[in-house]
Amino acid sequence: MASAVLPSSSTQSGATETRAGRFGAYGGRYVPETLMAALEELEHAYTEAQADPVFQAELAGLLKDFAGRPTPLYFAKRLTEELGGAKIYLKREDLLHTGAHKINNALGQGLLAKRMGKRRIIAETGAGQHGVATATVCALLGLECIVYMGEEDMRRQELNVIRMRLLGSEVRGVSSGSKTLKDAVNEALRDWVTNVRDTYYILGSALGPHPYPTMVRDFNRVIGIEMREQILEKEGRLPTAIVACVGGGSNAIGAFYQFLLDREVRLIGVEAGGRGKTLGDHAARFEGGLPGVLQGTYSYVLQDEDGQVALTHSVSAGLDYASVGPEHACLHDCGRAEYVSADDKHVLEAVVKLARTEGILPALESAHAVAECLRIAPSMASHDILVVNLSGRGDKDMGILARELNIQGA
């Protein structure tokens, strides 16, 4: 299995990054002047780290021995038989330490912060998985950690709040706006502006100002690198389609990137369809959004007629966000990737289906990809191969699932 390194973006000559920080029309760096020098310092440090074999070796070692890479590519035999149609494989990112793909990026950025001499770390989190991953890495590296989390998400993801605090991190609740991920990002950015000299912001998804979308993608490219080798080993050919959920888009771009030049492979991103099509009832940016600037980058944004950022809803806290990573915006516009949505009802049904056919409880975020798999697999041919990026496990969602599915405990 290939080692987990950071290949230069230039190795994908047909990829979307047309110039530094730009994916077609999208991306950029729309931040207060206070942060410009910090972002330039970060970009320089990241470029150096890409070329440093010592940094690469340390990261590869931690991904293998601490995080548990490579993750398996698992043939879902019973699910395949029940649905008929395509052969279904699951990329088991849910088996990573801390329970999701978020540890890939947190380890990379944590090592980068240490390299830059930054001892105070801040992060934002929605579902709590990035917060837990960051808290874990900070405990490992001996760094101070502050995680911003919307109060609504703290209520929905209480288990992860406890995990972060047990790991020694401070969790700061955010009471503004919808009290969810967007508001947590706002507070983290305010903190960074105030404490920019000694603070490193570990942003958790492939969004925000340059170089974050590129960095987060590259730290998650290991997903697609492994997936490609594993499917060729198991099937001797590339998959027909790859499906991944899309909030900010880190797990999806990590899975998609190695296949961008393979036009025969369909790339399908699944957004949060929520409880309806009305603005405020979902987080499907490509169905109801327009290009605009939010939190440092130009991408698709859910907004009202006056250009104000709209409220969003999803049963999954990690997809409950009004914008999407700029590389996904470019992939959408050029048609290389397809973006669909799954509503809360079908997502909950997908959790139950996967649990009762394969004994795997997916995170509610990941269940959006499973829902799309359930929808399209039966109409595909038996020789087709469908790979679902199972980005996280569902332990954190037990309270929500018990309530929504009316499952009783003791």
Side-chain angles (χ1 to χ4, degrees), residues 18 47 82 112 156 243 312 325 352 401:
T18 51
T47 301
E82 282 210 16
L112 193 58
R156 292 195 285 183
V243 185
T312 55
V352 174
L401 290 168

Side-chain angles (χ1 to χ4, degrees), residues 264-337:
E264 72 275 19
V265 179
R266 291 175 64 192
L267 306 175
I268 305 171
V270 189
E271 299 185 286
R275 59 194 169 214
K277 299 294 186 182
T278 304
L279 194 63
D281 285 342
H282 63 85
R285 289 66 48 98
F286 293 120
E287 292 184 18
L290 295 169
V293 173
L294 180 63
Q295 294 173 333
T297 195
Y298 180 65
S299 186
Y300 277 76
V301 181
L302 288 169
Q303 50 192 299
D304 63 21
E305 293 178 354
D306 298 319
Q308 297 299 306
V309 178
L311 296 177
T312 55
H313 164 78
S314 172
V315 71
S316 59
L319 304 189
D320 198 354
Y321 184 65
S323 189
V324 65
E327 192 160 9
H328 286 292
C330 181
L331 289 171
H332 169 270
D333 283 9
C334 74
R336 179 60 191 96

